């Protein structure tokens, strides 16, 4: 998971993932959508692929890239683990506000 976060920390790779979130794209489509050079897009796609975030398939003379679900499911589970912390804090805040309101009414 740390590799996933480090890989996504680079803005161009993050933007590629955001684009692929909408559906599979060829390298040319990614170049056109993001306005960065083909060699840079290819390098970022290689890094994303090595990190297991994207997969590619051949379609005629093109490489079509799409997202791999696994690493994003792991991230989702990790982020979800923080919800318990926030729920507890919000519950404590709610209790505090109810106590405060009762004191104000007295």
């Amino acid at each position: 998971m740390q590799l996933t976060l480090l890989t996504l920390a680079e803005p161009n790779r993050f933007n590629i993932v955001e684009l692929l979130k909408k559906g599979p794209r060829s390298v040319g489509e990614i170049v056109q959508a993001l306005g960065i050079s083909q060699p840079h897009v290819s390098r970022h796609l290689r890094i994303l692929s090595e990190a297991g975030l994207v997969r590619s398939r051949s379609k005629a003379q093109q490489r079509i890239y799409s997202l791999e679900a696994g690493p994003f499911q792991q991230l989702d589970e990790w982020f979800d683990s923080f919800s318990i912390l926030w729920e507890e804090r919000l519950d404590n805040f709610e209790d505090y506000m109810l106590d405060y309101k009762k004191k104000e009414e007295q």
Side-chain angles (χ1 to χ4, degrees), residues 73-85:
Q73 289 170 339
Q74 291 172 346
L75 277 179
D76 185 51
E77 291 169 10
W78 184 72
F79 283 123
D80 193 43
S81 72
F82 288 94
S83 67
I84 294 167
L85 172 73

Side-chain angles (χ1 to χ4, degrees), residues 1 6 8-9 11 17 21 23 48 61 66-67 77 85 89-90 94:
M1 184 183 56
L6 288 170
L8 293 174
V17 167
K21 198 166 60 169
L48 287 165
Q61 299 296 323
S66 58
L67 295 178
E77 291 169 10
L85 172 73
R89 288 181 180 179
L90 290 172
E94 181 182 25

Side-chain angles (χ1 to χ4, degrees), residues 37-66:
S37 70
Q38 187 274 326
H40 282 99
V41 168
S42 293
R43 182 173 57 96
H44 289 305
L45 286 168
R46 180 182 49 80
I47 293 167
L48 287 165
S49 181
E50 288 172 357
L53 298 170
V54 300
R55 67 175 176 267
S56 67
R57 62 179 171 81
S58 295
K59 181 179 178 185
Q61 299 296 323
Q62 293 181 324
R63 306 277 316 151
I64 306 297
Y65 286 85
S66 58

Side-chain angles (χ1 to χ4, degrees), residues 6-20 30-31 33-37 39-45 47-48 54:
L6 288 170
T7 303
L8 293 174
E10 200 286 325
N12 288 316
R13 289 194 288 271
F14 181 84
N15 290 335
I16 290 170
V17 167
E18 283 293 306
L19 184 62
L20 293 177
I30 296 169
V31 167
L34 299 181
I36 54 180
S37 70
H40 282 99
V41 168
S42 293
R43 182 173 57 96
H44 289 305
L45 286 168
I47 293 167
L48 287 165
V54 300

Side-chain angles (χ1 to χ4, degrees), residues 2 22 28 32 47 50 58 68-69 73 86 90-91:
Q2 187 175 12
K22 298 171 188 170
Q32 186 173 27
I47 293 167
E50 288 172 357
S58 295
E68 282 286 349
Q73 289 170 339
W86 286 108
L90 290 172
D91 287 344

